[in-house]
Amino acid sequence: MTEETPGFEQEPDVPAEPGKPGEQPGDAAQASGAAEEAAPEAGPGTPGASGDAERVAALTAQLDQTRTALNERTQDLQRLQAEFSNYRRRVERDRVAVKEVAIANVLTELLPVLDDIGRARDHGELVGGFKSVAESLETVVAKMGLQQFGKEGEAFDPTVHEALMHSYSPDVTETTCVQILQPGYRIGERTIRPARVGVAEPQPGAQPGKGEDQQAETAADEESGGPEQG
């Protein structure tokens, strides 16, 4: 019998990882981490930084376009609002004008009736039930805005007076309405019939009155320094 010589058990051979000869795996990992720490960070010239700058520029351009479109839409809205306001005012003005024309047409047809009522009142014939009806009619047309004008003694105005008679008078200093043949009527500032009147002009070659003579003497005294002392 042969005796086995006691000794150490041999470990199986393990293939070494690629690397430097005799380098352990832990040493390789430490070397890799040090290399990563020593690697320089990406600068502006790197591909990643260039892509970020392009995205920022694109977003800025898109924001500018959005702002421009918003300003254009705001101006369009303001213009439409102004046009609508003008349209509404124009419609309201036209509505009032149409209403005034319609009322004027109705009242124009009633003017002969009002003339008859006026003549009956002047002759003392406006009595009884006829008087009540006439006064009610005059009240209604007054509520509708009808106004009567034309009085004796007022200055003649060709825009609201129609002269049917003409004469001369030493009692007037300008063309004056001395007789009202038919009163005039208006609605607001709209004249629906002028007043038909008889007018008188100053007498040709008439001498100035006593008051005018005194005013002329006073003016002459003031220019000469006052009346002469006796």
Side-chain angles (χ1 to χ4, degrees):
M1 293 180 65
T2 52
E3 296 180 356
E4 293 182 0
T5 304
F8 299 95
E9 295 180 359
Q10 296 181 355
E11 295 179 0
D13 294 337
V14 178
E17 294 181 0
K20 294 180 180 180
E23 185 178 3
Q24 299 297 326
D27 296 338
Q30 292 177 358
S32 176
E36 290 178 358
E37 292 178 357
E41 296 180 356
T46 60
S50 177
D52 293 341
E54 291 178 357
R55 285 195 296 272
V56 171
L59 291 175
T60 302
Q62 186 177 2
L63 180 60
D64 292 339
Q65 292 178 357
T66 303
R67 288 176 176 173
T68 301
L70 178 61
N71 291 334
E72 292 177 355
R73 299 299 180 271
T74 302
Q75 292 176 359
D76 293 341
L77 180 60
Q78 292 174 349
R79 182 168 57 254
L80 290 175
Q81 186 177 5
E83 291 177 358
F84 177 73
S85 298
N86 293 334
Y87 169 77
R88 184 172 57 185
R89 286 194 295 267
R90 185 169 59 253
V91 169
E92 181 65 19
R93 184 174 61 250
D94 294 344
R95 186 184 67 83
V96 173
V98 170
K99 180 180 177 181
E100 290 181 353
V101 170
I103 293 175
N105 291 337
V106 173
L107 295 179
T108 300
E109 298 298 327
L110 293 176
L111 294 185
V113 179
L114 297 177
D115 292 337
D116 292 338
I117 292 174
R119 284 190 290 267
R121 180 179 288 110
D122 293 338
H123 292 83
E125 299 176 356
L126 196 62
V127 295
F130 179 50
K131 179 179 179 181
S132 299
V133 173
E135 291 177 349
S136 298
L137 178 61
E138 291 175 341
T139 301
V140 170
V141 296
K143 289 182 179 180
M144 297 177 68
L146 186 66
Q147 299 176 356
Q148 180 179 322
F149 66 91
K151 295 181 180 179
E152 295 181 1
E154 63 185 9
F156 176 75
D157 184 356
T159 61
V160 294
H161 296 140
E162 180 181 355
L164 300 182
M165 298 177 61
H166 178 270
S167 62
Y168 295 97
S169 174
D171 299 330
V172 298
T173 58
E174 60 179 350
T175 305
T176 306
C177 300
V178 295
Q179 186 178 3
I180 305 300
L181 304 177
Q182 277 187 337
Y185 291 96
R186 66 165 63 98
I187 300 176
E189 300 297 328
R190 180 187 181 91
T191 301
I192 62 175
R193 191 182 75 179
R196 295 169 180 173
V197 299
V199 299
E201 291 183 353
Q203 188 72 31
Q207 297 296 326
K210 181 178 181 181
E212 294 180 357
D213 289 337
Q214 292 178 351
Q215 292 178 359
E217 292 176 0
T218 303
D221 292 340
E222 289 177 356
E223 292 178 359
S224 63
E228 297 180 359
Q229 300 295 332

